[in-house]
Amino acid sequence: AEDATMPTKTLVTPPPIGDLSLGGGDGDAASSASAPVDPTPTDPKSESEVAPPEQAGADSSSLPLGSDDDAAAAGYHLGPAPPAEPAPLKELTAEQQDKILRQVEFYFCDANLPTDEFLMKKVKGNKEGWVALAVVCGFNRMKQLLKKHTFKAIVPLLRERSETLVVNEEGTQVRRLLPLPKFDLEDVQSRTVLAENFKAESNPTIDSVQAQFAVAGAIVMVRVRHPGMQTPAGATAPSGLDLIVTPNSSVHALVEFATTEEAAKAVAMLNNDKDWRFGLRVRLLVKPGAKKNNNNNNNNRKQQ
């Protein structure tokens, strides 16, 4: 019987993987030749662009709606919220307007302006006597009356109602309608009384002192001074009366009357020398016939 021989199998060893990566074999050349190369260069910008939701087929219902947290969770960038608008200021009442008008006219009146060193310097600093409304409205008393309104709020008020003041065309400055008459400081001092020894709990103010001394006659001006205060209580600017040297370091007031007779009457009616501990002391600032103005000049020279 013929021997039956099994067909032999030939094993083919595949080339090393390293040879494929180096492209040194014929198989690599054949494979590279068989793979067509796209000559169109790839635009890197197009790969980074993302189609809008409507082009990508996104449903509008999938867009983030509702709270900011939902929008932030969906990847939407939320910028800072716009600043809230300030609440509008309340209009000035008729009573507030009356007080403002009287206050501004008082600053420039014959009785106050000559004794107001700060404001008088501003008036003399301008050839026509103009003073910036921003300066006037910056006084403490005016700030209280304006209720956060600016000086522009009083321009129509002064133009329409004031009979002693005028406002420039730009609405930024104010001055007297008539020039200031000649001022006699010695005369003012002769009509002024000094009140002291106020009760500790009374806390005197310009209004309270004026009401207390009005029984003696017409009051032109009141100034109240507290220890350690550079500006008199209730006053909005330094006054010439506050330059008067007094030995009293406690709370005291200077009250100017229209006449010397009324000043003397105030002393007679309100001075209480019977109660040496708690009684109110009222005396004439200048004795009849004395030259207080000269005395003040001497005191000023001593201080220098």
Side-chain angles (χ1 to χ4, degrees):
E2 296 179 0
D3 295 336
T5 61
M6 298 292 293
T8 60
K9 295 181 180 181
T10 303
L11 298 177
V12 180
T13 304
I17 296 176
D19 294 341
L20 293 177
S21 61
L22 295 177
D26 294 337
D28 294 337
S31 62
S32 61
S34 62
V37 178
D38 187 2
T40 304
T42 302
D43 185 2
K45 181 178 180 182
S46 62
E47 296 180 356
S48 61
E49 291 179 349
V50 180
E54 58 270 18
Q55 296 181 6
D59 188 2
S60 60
S61 61
S62 64
L63 297 179
L65 298 176
S67 66
D68 293 345
D69 293 338
D70 296 336
Y76 282 74
H77 175 69
L78 300 177
E85 296 183 1
L89 298 175
K90 295 182 179 180
E91 294 185 3
L92 297 172
T93 64
E95 181 181 0
Q96 290 172 332
Q97 293 181 12
D98 292 340
K99 291 182 179 180
I100 291 173
L101 179 61
R102 290 197 303 268
Q103 188 68 30
V104 179
E105 289 183 335
F106 168 75
Y107 292 146
F108 292 88
C109 71
D110 296 347
N112 181 74
L113 183 57
T115 63
D116 193 325
E117 185 180 8
F118 174 81
L119 189 57
M120 194 66 180
K121 184 178 180 180
K122 293 292 184 181
V123 172
K124 291 182 177 180
N126 185 278
K127 294 181 179 180
E128 299 181 0
W130 292 108
V131 178
L133 279 170
V135 173
V136 177
C137 294
F139 297 154
N140 294 334
R141 179 59 176 164
M142 286 298 296
K143 289 181 180 179
Q144 296 174 359
L145 294 175
L146 284 173
K147 305 295 184 183
K148 296 185 178 181
H149 286 271
T150 66
F151 69 88
K152 297 180 181 180
I154 70 173
V155 172
L157 176 64
L158 296 177
R159 284 177 172 171
E160 297 173 6
R161 297 179 53 184
S162 180
E163 299 179 356
T164 60
L165 302 175
V166 292
V167 179
N168 65 347
E169 295 182 359
E170 294 78 9
T172 57
Q173 295 179 314
V174 62
R175 67 171 174 83
R176 287 171 55 100
L177 178 62
L178 300 176
L180 186 68
K182 187 178 180 180
F183 175 68
D184 188 351
L185 180 59
E186 183 177 342
D187 176 62
V188 172
Q189 293 169 337
S190 68
R191 295 181 279 105
T192 301
V193 299
L194 173 65
E196 50 193 346
N197 201 34
F198 287 94
K199 294 181 179 180
E201 67 275 7
S202 64
N203 190 23
T205 62
I206 288 180
D207 293 336
S208 64
V209 172
Q210 185 169 358
Q212 185 177 6
F213 280 76
V215 295
I219 295 177
V220 177
M221 183 168 51
V222 175
R223 287 290 184 263
V224 179
R225 292 193 288 188
H226 291 257
M229 292 184 62
Q230 297 180 352
T231 302
T236 56
S239 169
L241 289 180
D242 296 293
L243 300 178
I244 298 173
V245 178
T246 56
N248 197 333
S249 60
S250 60
V251 179
H252 56 284
L254 297 170
V255 184
E256 179 190 349
F257 285 90
T259 65
T260 55
E261 291 77 14
E262 291 172 328
K265 185 179 179 181
V267 176
M269 294 182 63
L270 299 173
N271 182 50
N272 183 9
D273 54 2
K274 295 181 179 179
D275 187 351
W276 65 272
R277 184 182 295 273
F278 300 108
L280 181 66
R281 301 289 191 272
V282 182
R283 62 180 175 86
L284 293 172
L285 185 63
V286 180
K287 294 181 179 180
K291 297 244 182 224
K292 185 64 177 179
N293 195 23
N294 293 338
N295 292 339
N296 278 336
N297 291 336
N298 293 334
N299 289 331
N300 292 335
R301 282 194 291 269
K302 290 180 181 179
Q303 291 178 352
Q304 294 176 355

